[in-house]
Amino acid sequence: MTYKIIRKKNVKRLILKIEGNQILVSAPIKASKKEIDIFVKKNEEWILNHLQSQWVLKEKDILTIQNKIYHLHKSDKNERIHQDLDISSQKGLDKIIYEMAQPILINKFNLITKSLSIDSVHLNIKIYKSQWGNCYYKKRLIHLNAYLICFPDEFIDSVIIHELAHLYYHNHSKDFYDLVFKWDPDYKNHHKNYQIPKWGM
């Protein structure tokens, strides 16, 4: 579980905070990395419950994408400025996430299909409100939700693997999950019940 440590002289104990999809730990100057790791692990259930609850993004929130931190703010323009995401509406958020997702998801998809020796399968990146992906096995076509990039790499990989397995099994049978776990033995821990973020006031 990836998190950011903020060391402060006036902090006497470890404090956990979630901003957007980023886990922040305020720590005393002398706190060791091992001590902080244990603290985060101990609070993992709380962290996951928080991340898996309805996620409404608003102005001044922090969004972490592929280990880069972005600050959200509202404007009349829908364009990215340095490390800020300039957003004024759900449509603006969708546009930016869609554009950022293209190289990230295409690269991940190609790496996984190559490693699994899966040929002649196509990828489309979409904006979905309630699902992470779809497999159209007759067309050998996978759709992935652009908002996947807001989550950990292992979750993205688990969704890609899940959809690729549907090329061979068109339901959620035992055989389907046997294949999924063959490709990703730690699938159960990787495939969390995350919620798709949306823009709010």
Side-chain angles (χ1 to χ4, degrees), residues 75-87:
S75 174
D76 292 331
K77 297 179 180 179
N78 294 323
E79 58 186 33
R80 208 170 336 131
I81 303 175
H82 303 301
Q83 290 300 95
D84 289 343
L85 293 184
D86 194 350
I87 297 166

Side-chain angles (χ1 to χ4, degrees), residues 4-17 24-32 35-36 39-40 42-43 46:
K4 180 181 178 180
I5 302 172
I6 302 170
R7 296 187 183 273
K8 297 181 178 180
K9 291 182 179 179
N10 60 339
V11 171
K12 304 299 181 182
R13 60 186 179 84
L14 297 173
I15 301 171
L16 189 61
K17 185 178 180 182
L24 304 175
V25 180
S26 296
I29 298 295
K30 294 183 178 180
S32 68
E35 182 182 356
I36 298 171
F39 173 74
V40 171
K42 183 179 178 180
N43 289 280
W46 179 88

Side-chain angles (χ1 to χ4, degrees), residues 44-190:
E44 187 172 17
E45 184 176 353
W46 179 88
I47 293 169
L48 291 174
N49 286 337
H50 188 96
L51 292 174
Q52 291 166 14
S53 62
Q54 188 178 37
W55 185 9
V56 179
L57 294 169
K58 55 188 181 297
E59 189 175 10
K60 297 182 180 179
D61 272 356
I62 293 173
L63 189 62
T64 304
I65 298 174
Q66 297 291 290
N67 295 319
K68 292 183 180 180
I69 298 172
Y70 296 90
H71 300 272
L72 305 184
H73 63 94
K74 292 196 296 183
S75 174
D76 292 331
K77 297 179 180 179
N78 294 323
E79 58 186 33
R80 208 170 336 131
I81 303 175
H82 303 301
Q83 290 300 95
D84 289 343
L85 293 184
D86 194 350
I87 297 166
S88 59
S89 65
Q90 181 67 51
K91 185 177 179 180
L93 178 63
D94 290 347
K95 180 177 182 291
I96 289 172
I97 294 296
Y98 178 81
E99 290 173 353
M100 295 178 73
Q102 298 294 319
I104 296 169
L105 294 183
I106 289 170
N107 181 59
K108 279 189 158 295
F109 186 81
N110 289 340
L111 287 173
I112 290 174
T113 52
K114 183 177 180 180
S115 70
L116 298 176
S117 301
I118 300 175
D119 299 319
S120 303
V121 58
H122 307 287
L123 172 66
N124 277 344
I125 297 168
K126 310 281 284 185
I127 295 290
Y128 286 124
K129 302 303 180 187
S130 61
Q131 57 189 2
W132 291 115
N134 266 320
C135 173
Y136 300 89
Y137 62 89
K138 290 182 179 179
K139 297 180 180 180
R140 293 187 68 77
L141 173 64
I142 303 294
H143 284 181
L144 293 177
N145 192 335
Y147 279 93
L148 282 166
I149 65 171
C150 299
F151 297 93
D153 284 336
E154 57 267 24
F155 176 69
I156 301 174
D157 294 348
S158 76
V159 172
I160 294 173
I161 285 170
H162 183 108
E163 298 306 332
L164 289 172
H166 279 308
L167 293 171
Y168 304 94
Y169 300 100
H170 312 143
N171 51 33
H172 293 105
S173 63
K174 181 180 181 300
D175 288 338
F176 168 83
Y177 281 109
D178 284 346
L179 180 59
V180 167
F181 279 96
K182 177 182 177 182
W183 288 343
D184 181 7
D186 207 18
Y187 174 83
K188 187 175 181 180
N189 289 324
H190 293 161

